[in-house]
Amino acid sequence: MNDYTNGQNIAASSEKGIHTDFQQNMTYGEYLQLDQLLSAQSSMSGEHDEALFIIIHQVSELWMKLILHELDAAISHVNQDKLQPAFKQLARVSKIQSQIIQAWDVLATMTPADYLKFRDTLGNASGFQSYQYRMIEFGLGYKTKHVLKIYEKEPALHKELVLAFNKPSIYDAAIQKLARSGLYIETGVLDRDVTTVYESNISVKTAWKTVYQNTDAYWELYQLAEKLVDIEDCLQQWRFRHMKTVERIIGFRQGTGGSSGVHYLKKVLDHYFFPELWELRTDI
């Protein structure tokens, strides 16, 4: 036994209160359902690097589940004019996004030769079909109805996505908060169809500009705006790392889901969720 292991055992034996009998008590593994979680990495090809591919995407989906949990709570709090807890939840979303961004660095260790050994086993499955990612887009205000068709195979899931599609986004909630705070917002924006893609509006831009030029008077709204900018900034970084990782591994080949691959990923980089918050930076 080496000195390091021996040291660990001595330290553990000195902790007399450590529980070792779990015949009647719940274990760490049971609490986290690790038997179910760790048995969900089934390779279809048997190739070594398929494990990396599966685990990276599963971990990202777990993080996205937490993003949705925090984003839904933040929307609820903004609607209730409880901005302080919303700030914590939105800040947490940004930290989660940093984890997903860094995951691309791990996936980028896969070479084209590694990926091509199992790519055909994916069939038409693709990250493009991630329903949680779509729900995040919906929660941020990017609503594209045609993507709902992808999920018709699973009626319960499709119903959940339709509900998310029809809900106001965090930006809708923020704009309503601007109006409740006495800033002028056009009625057409306040009553807009929230299932449509949001487009920049001069009254919203003017309201945010007022906030940025009078931060002492509108400190909480200013904080809200910056939390939203943080999230969009991180999402753009996530999209960029995704695009460059795909380009590094498969070049400009068509994606397994039928998209144009890198060309499609480059196009979505140009989309803004909160356009006025970026536009006003030129004006102030």
Side-chain angles (χ1 to χ4, degrees), residues 9-259:
N9 289 336
I10 292 172
S13 64
S14 68
E15 294 289 333
K16 303 302 183 184
I18 291 178
H19 296 288
T20 57
D21 183 357
F22 286 91
Q23 295 300 318
Q24 304 299 324
N25 296 313
M26 178 176 65
T27 66
Y28 169 82
E30 289 170 333
Y31 174 70
L32 295 178
Q33 300 181 61
L34 290 182
D35 55 344
Q36 182 178 348
L37 184 66
L38 298 180
S39 63
Q41 295 75 44
S42 301
S43 172
M44 296 184 66
S45 68
E47 294 294 339
H48 178 82
D49 276 31
E50 190 177 5
L52 166 64
F53 188 83
I54 292 170
I55 290 170
I56 285 291
H57 286 85
Q58 287 182 339
V59 168
S60 294
E61 290 291 338
L62 285 171
W63 281 129
M64 283 191 275
K65 182 174 183 177
L66 187 54
I67 286 176
L68 289 168
H69 178 67
E70 301 296 340
L71 188 58
D72 286 345
I75 292 171
S76 177
H77 280 127
V78 173
N79 287 334
Q80 298 172 58
D81 295 325
K82 297 178 180 178
L83 295 190
Q84 291 303 318
F87 294 157
K88 180 178 180 179
Q89 288 146 359
L90 294 174
R92 184 174 291 164
V93 168
S94 295
K95 290 296 185 181
I96 297 166
Q97 288 175 297
S98 70
Q99 295 295 314
I100 300 177
I101 292 166
Q102 291 177 30
W104 291 116
D105 293 339
V106 183
L107 189 60
T109 63
M110 181 185 296
T111 68
D114 295 330
Y115 181 53
L116 289 175
K117 289 177 182 177
F118 66 87
R119 186 177 193 255
D120 288 345
T121 65
L122 300 177
N124 292 324
S126 166
F128 181 82
Q129 297 144 20
S130 168
Y131 67 85
Q132 290 197 124
Y133 180 75
R134 294 302 171 195
M135 291 176 74
I136 290 171
E137 286 188 328
F138 295 167
L140 297 179
Y142 185 56
K143 308 288 184 74
T144 49
K145 194 170 186 177
H146 69 275
V147 301
L148 293 173
K149 184 172 179 60
I150 296 171
Y151 312 100
E152 289 178 350
K153 178 182 178 181
E154 301 174 75
L157 174 59
H158 184 262
K159 182 179 180 180
E160 185 179 353
L161 279 153
V162 169
L163 287 173
F165 183 82
N166 284 286
K167 289 181 179 178
S169 70
I170 184 65
Y171 201 46
D172 291 316
I175 291 170
Q176 294 287 342
K177 176 58 180 172
L178 287 173
R180 290 196 303 275
S181 301
L183 294 159
Y184 172 71
I185 304 293
E186 291 177 6
T187 303
V189 177
L190 297 175
D191 297 335
R192 79 181 197 89
D193 179 358
V194 298
T195 68
T196 60
V197 178
Y198 179 81
E199 295 183 2
S200 181
N201 177 270
I202 188 62
S203 70
V204 175
K205 182 178 177 180
T206 301
W208 283 126
K209 186 175 180 180
T210 299
V211 169
Y212 274 76
Q213 291 177 330
N214 300 274
T215 55
D216 289 342
Y218 298 105
W219 182 250
E220 283 198 328
L221 291 173
Y222 174 58
Q223 286 183 287
L224 176 59
E226 285 298 291
K227 290 291 187 290
L228 294 177
V229 170
D230 288 343
I231 288 173
E232 177 146 14
D233 190 349
C234 288
L235 190 62
Q236 290 295 76
Q237 291 181 51
W238 185 93
R239 284 172 161 177
F240 180 78
R241 288 298 298 129
H242 183 190
M243 181 269 292
K244 293 306 293 183
T245 303
V246 171
E247 183 178 359
R248 175 173 177 154
I249 295 175
I250 67 168
F252 288 83
R253 296 178 62 167
Q254 185 181 54
T256 52
S259 76

